[in-house]
Amino acid sequence: SVCVVGLGYIGLPTASILASRGYRVWGVDVRHEVCETINRGDIHIHEPNLDELVRSVVGKGQLTASLEPRPADVFFLSVPTPVTADRRPDLSCVERASRAIRPHVRRGNLIILESTSPPGTTEAIVAQQAVPRGMTVGQDVFVAYCPERVLPGRILIEVIQNDRVVGGVTPACTERAQRFYESFIEGQVLPTNAVTAEIVKLPENSFRDVNIAFANELSM
């Protein structure tokens, strides 16, 4: 079972794909209207073919949305990490999501952060705030970072086909997260540590940002 926290452009497609691959998925979002929409088998975002997939997995009872997390084998955090007015990362959603799942985390669980985050976020925030006291990361609970790598309009294709970089807080965390991703994606899973995985996401986003900026300059 998987608990996906954050049902936006990354969380909802990923939750739906996991549900279609046989996982029992519990989706979590703080917006009541989003949960109601999904539980009707509808979607609140635009993405090709997502409506059909959501309708199918909700109808089969594989995906359910709610306002609160619940116990699962894997916790998947895909929440917003916007930039503040002074250009600093706002990690408050990551902090709230980590604290929200903490009462439901049990020994043997895997916690994955996919939100774009500064290096060190997985270990300093997720591992510290999501893992209950008395549990050791890498032995009792496994924590890892895996940045999303998809383009809007092709999310359902690229979640499955793209290569992924997976970095755990410890080698055991990396191994556990790698096995999880290999269970539902077709691309290559590249193992590393959490900080490296976090760093990988930043130049990738920056490169895409420069491309978009250049295209905008040409259009003007």
Side-chain angles (χ1 to χ4, degrees), residues 24-206:
R24 179 62 172 99
V25 182
W26 310 101
V28 179
D29 202 281
V30 295
R31 297 165 292 179
H32 183 73
E33 66 277 9
V34 168
C35 295
E36 285 190 336
T37 298
I38 294 170
N39 287 332
R40 289 197 307 267
D42 296 326
I43 59 175
H44 61 289
I45 58 178
H46 177 71
E47 180 64 30
N49 303 316
L50 180 61
D51 54 346
E52 298 176 7
L53 182 58
V54 169
R55 190 177 306 115
S56 173
V57 294
V58 169
K60 294 177 181 177
Q62 291 295 114
L63 172 62
T64 305
S66 64
L67 297 171
E68 300 291 337
R70 59 181 300 161
D73 300 307
V74 179
F75 290 90
F76 191 96
L77 309 184
S78 183
V79 294
T81 49
V83 177
T84 63
D86 59 350
R87 300 186 178 183
R88 295 180 181 274
D90 180 356
L91 301 177
S92 59
C93 289
V94 176
E95 293 174 348
R96 286 196 295 270
S98 299
R99 291 194 296 267
I101 67 171
R102 182 171 180 158
H104 308 286
V105 172
R106 303 291 183 265
R107 282 182 169 81
N109 285 173
L110 170 64
I111 304 170
I112 298 171
L113 175 65
E114 276 214 0
S115 305
T116 302
S117 305
T121 302
T122 306
E123 186 167 1
I125 294 181
V126 179
Q128 295 297 320
Q129 299 192 24
V131 178
R133 289 183 180 179
M135 296 189 188
T136 302
V137 174
Q139 296 181 13
D140 303 311
V141 179
F142 304 88
V143 181
Y145 181 77
C146 180
E148 54 85 9
R149 306 184 64 242
V150 295
L151 285 174
R154 288 178 50 85
I155 294 178
L156 294 181
I157 298 171
E158 296 193 354
V159 164
I160 295 172
Q161 294 184 356
N162 283 359
D163 295 342
R164 304 297 293 269
V165 176
V166 175
V169 174
T170 70
C173 294
T174 301
E175 181 182 354
R176 183 67 66 92
Q178 181 178 3
R179 292 205 306 268
F180 172 67
Y181 278 95
E182 288 175 344
S183 72
F184 71 95
I185 76 166
E186 298 171 2
Q188 185 178 2
V189 180
L190 307 172
T192 182
N193 57 65
V195 172
T196 300
E198 290 164 335
I199 292 174
V200 162
K201 177 63 172 170
L202 302 184
E204 187 169 85
N205 274 21
S206 300

